[in-house]
């Protein structure tokens, strides 16, 4: 974060490395050159030479193994025959040099010497890399973070598996010396000293030939950890009665350790606090430190200009023909006269993006009236938007063992009737289903996430139990829970009118007499949700209720009945990597007999979101095997464990599960004929939710049930 302002005094602890490097480079050809007298490595390069190469070079080398001055450099290199890169040949893969921090100033009392340190401990980081440091530093809480960062950024650590000569390792070690100094300064050790030395080590391979390679050792003298002295936050005190709360949001006090990361975090926190307190024009400069070495303190100066307190005036759209100011105001969760809050503007921005009509949104406060004394000013919010493509075509294809082949397609215009009036044409062509329809939807009608939907559909359904041809008109008004805005309570109400020509399968397996049903219904639903996520919950529970008073006209009969269903699910964390999920459902049709209810409106169970291992809607009593009649009651239960693995960086989970379900002809569920299924699934986590693949088999199958069923979808099974 910080850069040195006084580079000369701030980098004094690197002088040793800069003075050592030329000497190390000069001795490399000598260390590996063959000798006529077959001198050993210790004779050519004594141990003290690696630790203090400058002194060794000044004293001269025994036997004078250096090349004569007039000998060509190439010939001198040729005598080595080491196979190692010669310094200066090729390029070393090095990061850019560390930049000095210009926000740190040292006072004139900066010390060039440190006091005595406690006994040093040797810490081995990797092969050929050791750290010498005081035992007291190892016990300090910040050491783990220093070591973690060093291991991830160090050139010596990341390249320790590569065998290098002295020159190559010297360059990398110099960089790591600067890195260690910078990491220590980040944690408040501004008086730290770091130096390094290169040593020779022998690697025995195959218990025979010995190879000699260099290693590096860093010596760390951290000194005292500096603490904050005075703290100057500029004009923050001019906020008057808001000052105590704002100052509390900047959680650095005199005497706290000087930690660079904490300064950055608290600066961001102060920006958030000002933004939430109604200061939309606040500005905070870069923090500056004045280091006092004589008392191991640092004074922090960070200029804060609050810019005045403001409330919301008007919301103004800069594209009123596209999305009007009035419509954008409906999306806001704040009113005129409320404080201008950063979170409120962010929420409004997300709501505008959620319409799907824009690709980018900028909300800019503009001063309308300046503050006067303790009276806040007024700021209008100007909203600039970039239109997204409004028309789209979707095509899909799929296959399921229980539903056959299916092709689907749709065309929609999401703002054909501004604002947010969508027209959609859609169709399905499949083995068991054909459909064509048109849908009009008005989103955010009268408020956030309130949706009016009107649709006209025609479809043909081919099921094991029946075949139906239907024409349906629907209209509904609902408050929905969305992925961006998950609500604790969602609800909906509507009307439905259906004309359906349906024929049931007989005992012979043939279609029976066709009957025409005219059904009127008032579907209602409510959802109470405390879970953490719509697609992948890890805790909480859901409770959903569906009720539909209906009347069905067929052959002069007009029975009225109530169709109802309750679904509940809950989720528990087991340890850090597993979730236990449970689900139950109870359904009933009350008020008439089974044969008075159109087959397409009866209750069914079986399939990927019901009882896995069985075919779609295949559970229940059957006129003939494989041809369920549906029922007036339903009960389903599921339990599964979602176990996160370490594969694919933790994105892959394994999910064993057991499902159970029954469908009966009476309005009360009959548990004597319950069916069980079990299996295992995989979940791959994506940014929008988990991809699901389940393999299931029936535990107590009937003759017509297959031994394996496969299900795939986006999101969990429940």
């Amino acid at each position: 974060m910080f850069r040195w302002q006084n580079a000369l005094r701030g980098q004094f602890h690197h002088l040793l490395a800069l003075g050592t490097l030329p000497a190390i480079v000069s001795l490399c050809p000598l260390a590996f050159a063959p000798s006529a007298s077959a001198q050993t490595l210790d004779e050519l390069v004594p141990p003290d030479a690696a630790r203090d190469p400058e002194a060794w070079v000044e004293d001269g080398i025994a036997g004078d193994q250096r090349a004569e001055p007039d000998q060509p450099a190439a010939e001198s290199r040729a005598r080595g025959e080491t196979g190692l890169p010669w310094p200066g040949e090729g390029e070393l893969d090095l990061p850019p040099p560390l930049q000095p921090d210009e926000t740190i100033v040292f006072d004139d009392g900066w010390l060039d010497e440190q006091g005595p340190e406690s006994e040093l401990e040797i810490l081995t980081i990797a092969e050929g890399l050791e750290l010498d440091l005081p035992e007291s530093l190892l016990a300090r809480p910040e050491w783990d973070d220093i070591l973690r960062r060093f291991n991830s950024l160090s050139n010596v650590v990341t390249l320790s598996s590569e065998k290098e000569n002295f020159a190559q390792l010297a360059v990398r070690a110099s960089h790591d010396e600067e890195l260690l100094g910078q990491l220590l300064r980040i944690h408040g050790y501004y008086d730290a000293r770091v130096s390094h030395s290169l040593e020779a080590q022998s690697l025995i391979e195959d218990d025979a030939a010995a190879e000699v390679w260099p290693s590096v050792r860093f010596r760390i003298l951290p000194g005292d950890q500096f603490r904050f002295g005075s703290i100057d936050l500029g004009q923050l005190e001019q906020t008057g009665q808001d000052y105590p709360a704002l100052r509390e949001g900047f959680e650095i006090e005199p005497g706290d350790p000087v930690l660079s990361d904490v300064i950055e975090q608290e600066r961001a926190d102060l920006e958030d606090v000002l933004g939430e307190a109604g200061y939309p024009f606040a500005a905070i400069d870069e923090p500056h430190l004045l280091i006092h070495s004589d008392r191991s303190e640092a004074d922090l100066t960070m200029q804060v200009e609050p810019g005045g307190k403001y409330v919301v005036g008007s919301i103004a759209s800069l594209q009123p023909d596209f999305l009007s100011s009035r419509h954008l105001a409906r999306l806001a969760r704040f009113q005129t006269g409320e404080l201008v809050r950063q979170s409120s503007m962010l929420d409004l921005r997300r709501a505008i993006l959620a319409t799907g009509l824009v690709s980018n949104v900028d909300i800019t406060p503009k001063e309308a009236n300046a503050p006067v004394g303790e009276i806040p000013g007024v700021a209008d919010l100007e909203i600039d938007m970039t239109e997204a493509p409004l028309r789209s075509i979707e095509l899909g294809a799929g296959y399921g063992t229980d539903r056959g082949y299916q092709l689907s397609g749709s065309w929609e215009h999401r703002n054909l009737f501004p604002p947010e009036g969508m027209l959609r044409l859609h169709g399905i062509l499949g083995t068991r289903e054909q459909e064509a329809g048109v849908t009009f939807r008005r989103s955010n009608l009268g408020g956030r996430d309130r949706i009016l939907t009107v649709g006209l559909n025609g479809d043909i359904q081919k099921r094991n139990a029946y075949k139906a041809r239907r024409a349906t008109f629907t209209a509904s008004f609902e408050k929905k829970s969305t992925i961006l805005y998950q609500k604790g309570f969602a609800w909906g109400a509507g009307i439905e009118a259906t004309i359906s020509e349906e024929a049931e399968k007989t005992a012979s397996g043939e279609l029976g007499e066709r009957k025409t049903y005219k059904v009127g219904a008032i579907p209602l639903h409510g959802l109470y949700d405390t879970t953490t996520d719509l697609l992948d919950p890890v805790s909480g529970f859901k409770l959903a209720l569906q009720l539909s008073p209906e009347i069905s006209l067929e052959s002069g009969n007009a029975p009225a009945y109530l169709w109802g269903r309750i679904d509940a699910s809950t989720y528990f964390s087991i340890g850090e990597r597993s979730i236990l999920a449970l689900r139950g459902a109870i359904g009933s049709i009350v008020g008439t007999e089974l044969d008075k209810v159109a087959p397409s409106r009866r209750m069914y169970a079986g399939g990927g979101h019901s009882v896995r291992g069985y075919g779609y809607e295949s559970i229940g009593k059957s006129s003939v095997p494989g041809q369920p009649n549906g029922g007036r009651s339903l009960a389903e239960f599921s339990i599964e464990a979602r176990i996160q693995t370490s594969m694919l960086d933790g994105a892959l989970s394994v999910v064993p599960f057991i499902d159970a379900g029954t469908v009966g002809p009476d309005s009360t569920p009959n548990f004597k004929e319950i069916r069980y299924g079990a299996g295992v699934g995989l979940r791959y986590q994506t940014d929008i939710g988990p991809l699901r693949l389940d393999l299931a088999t029936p535990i107590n199958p009937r003759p017509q049930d297959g031994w394996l069923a496969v299900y795939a979808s986006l999101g969990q099974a429940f």
Side-chain angles (χ1 to χ4, degrees), residues 653-657 679-683 692-695:
S653 298
V654 177
V655 183
F657 57 83
V680 65
L682 295 176
R683 305 289 185 270
R692 174 174 74 109
L693 176 65
D694 287 339
L695 303 178

Side-chain angles (χ1 to χ4, degrees), residues 370-689:
V372 178
E374 295 294 328
I375 301 176
V378 178
D380 297 333
L381 302 183
E382 291 187 354
I383 301 179
D384 190 15
M385 298 164 285
T386 302
E387 296 184 20
L390 301 179
R391 302 172 183 83
S392 63
I393 297 176
E394 296 181 2
L395 298 174
Y399 173 78
T401 55
D402 55 352
R403 306 191 72 169
Y405 294 96
Q406 181 171 289
L407 300 174
S408 62
S410 66
W411 172 91
E412 69 178 29
H413 191 307
R414 287 178 289 279
N415 203 38
L416 184 61
F417 307 99
E420 294 195 71
M422 185 269 299
L423 183 68
R424 185 171 187 264
L425 306 177
H426 52 91
I428 296 175
L429 181 62
T431 305
R432 294 197 170 194
E433 184 176 6
Q434 296 86 47
E435 179 182 343
V438 57
T439 300
F440 169 79
R441 184 182 67 205
R442 174 80 75 181
S443 299
N444 298 310
L445 180 63
R448 172 83 71 86
D449 295 331
R450 296 181 180 180
I451 301 173
L452 172 67
T453 304
V454 179
L456 181 62
N457 284 2
D459 68 303
I460 299 175
Q461 294 186 350
K462 299 176 182 178
R463 299 288 189 262
N464 292 332
Y466 65 90
K467 179 178 180 180
R469 298 175 180 174
R470 303 184 303 177
T472 304
F473 170 80
T474 59
S476 65
F477 185 71
E478 56 189 336
K479 185 173 183 179
K480 296 186 67 175
S481 187
T482 67
I483 294 177
L484 284 180
Y485 301 103
Q486 185 175 350
K487 295 176 175 57
F489 180 68
W491 52 265
I495 59 173
E496 177 183 340
T498 298
I499 299 178
S500 180
E501 186 182 79
E502 304 185 15
E504 290 189 77
K505 295 283 186 70
T506 64
S508 63
E510 301 294 329
L511 289 174
E513 177 186 359
R514 292 182 180 179
K515 297 181 180 180
T516 301
Y517 297 87
K518 299 177 182 179
V519 180
I522 304 175
L524 310 168
H525 72 265
L527 172 66
Y528 184 72
D529 186 358
T530 68
T531 61
T532 54
D533 189 271
L534 282 178
L535 293 178
D536 190 18
V538 298
S539 64
F541 70 91
K542 296 179 184 179
L543 182 63
L545 173 64
Q546 299 178 70
L547 291 176
S548 181
E550 300 182 4
I551 185 170
S552 179
L553 304 177
E554 190 275 320
S555 300
N557 298 316
Y561 55 89
L562 178 65
W563 190 102
R565 174 172 173 147
I566 298 176
D567 288 82
S569 58
T570 187
Y571 310 88
F572 304 94
S573 296
I574 303 177
E576 297 181 355
R577 303 177 69 90
S578 299
I579 303 297
L580 181 66
L582 300 96
R583 179 187 72 92
I586 297 289
S588 180
I589 297 175
V590 180
T592 189
E593 300 299 323
L594 181 63
D595 59 359
K596 298 296 191 298
V597 181
S600 62
R601 307 189 79 84
R602 298 172 187 172
M603 294 187 168
Y604 298 88
H609 293 279
S610 177
V611 183
R612 288 163 284 188
Y614 294 85
Y616 180 67
E617 297 185 348
S618 66
I619 293 178
K621 288 186 174 296
S622 304
S623 301
V624 294
Q627 298 171 1
N629 297 333
R632 288 199 299 144
S633 63
L634 169 146
E636 294 177 347
F637 306 94
S638 297
I639 181 172
E640 65 181 33
R642 301 166 184 173
I643 305 169
Q644 184 184 16
T645 72
S646 58
M647 293 182 287
L648 300 177
D649 294 328
L652 191 67
S653 298
V654 177
V655 183
F657 57 83
I658 297 176
D659 298 334
T662 182
V663 173
D666 301 323
S667 59
T668 302
N670 181 1
F671 296 99
K672 294 181 179 180
E673 298 184 5
I674 194 167
R675 297 291 166 185
Y676 298 93
V680 65
L682 295 176
R683 305 289 185 270
Y684 178 73
Q685 190 66 43
T686 70
D687 291 338
I688 60 174

Side-chain angles (χ1 to χ4, degrees), residues 268-405:
D269 290 347
L270 183 57
E271 288 180 345
D272 292 341
V273 171
L274 285 164
E276 289 301 291
Y279 294 86
F281 306 111
I284 302 178
D285 290 345
E286 289 284 339
H288 292 263
L289 289 175
L290 175 60
I291 305 298
H292 300 282
S293 60
D294 56 339
R295 58 178 186 269
S296 297
E297 285 187 351
D299 294 337
L300 173 64
T301 300
M302 191 169 66
Q303 290 298 326
V304 180
E305 297 181 4
K309 193 171 185 177
Y310 290 81
V311 298
V312 177
S314 63
I315 295 178
S317 171
L318 299 185
Q319 291 89 17
D321 295 335
F322 178 63
L323 287 176
S324 67
S325 301
R326 181 180 179 184
H327 184 70
L328 295 180
R330 293 194 189 104
L331 302 182
R333 287 178 171 158
F334 54 86
Q335 303 293 327
T336 299
E338 295 184 14
L339 289 177
V340 179
R341 301 184 188 276
Q342 182 179 352
S343 60
S344 298
M345 291 189 291
L346 178 60
D347 177 76
L348 177 56
R349 182 178 185 274
R350 294 179 62 196
I352 297 172
L353 289 172
T355 65
L357 305 181
V358 300
S359 59
N360 187 52
V361 179
D362 290 321
I363 302 179
T364 305
K366 296 289 185 179
E367 184 183 66
N369 297 312
V372 178
E374 295 294 328
I375 301 176
V378 178
D380 297 333
L381 302 183
E382 291 187 354
I383 301 179
D384 190 15
M385 298 164 285
T386 302
E387 296 184 20
L390 301 179
R391 302 172 183 83
S392 63
I393 297 176
E394 296 181 2
L395 298 174
Y399 173 78
T401 55
D402 55 352
R403 306 191 72 169
Y405 294 96

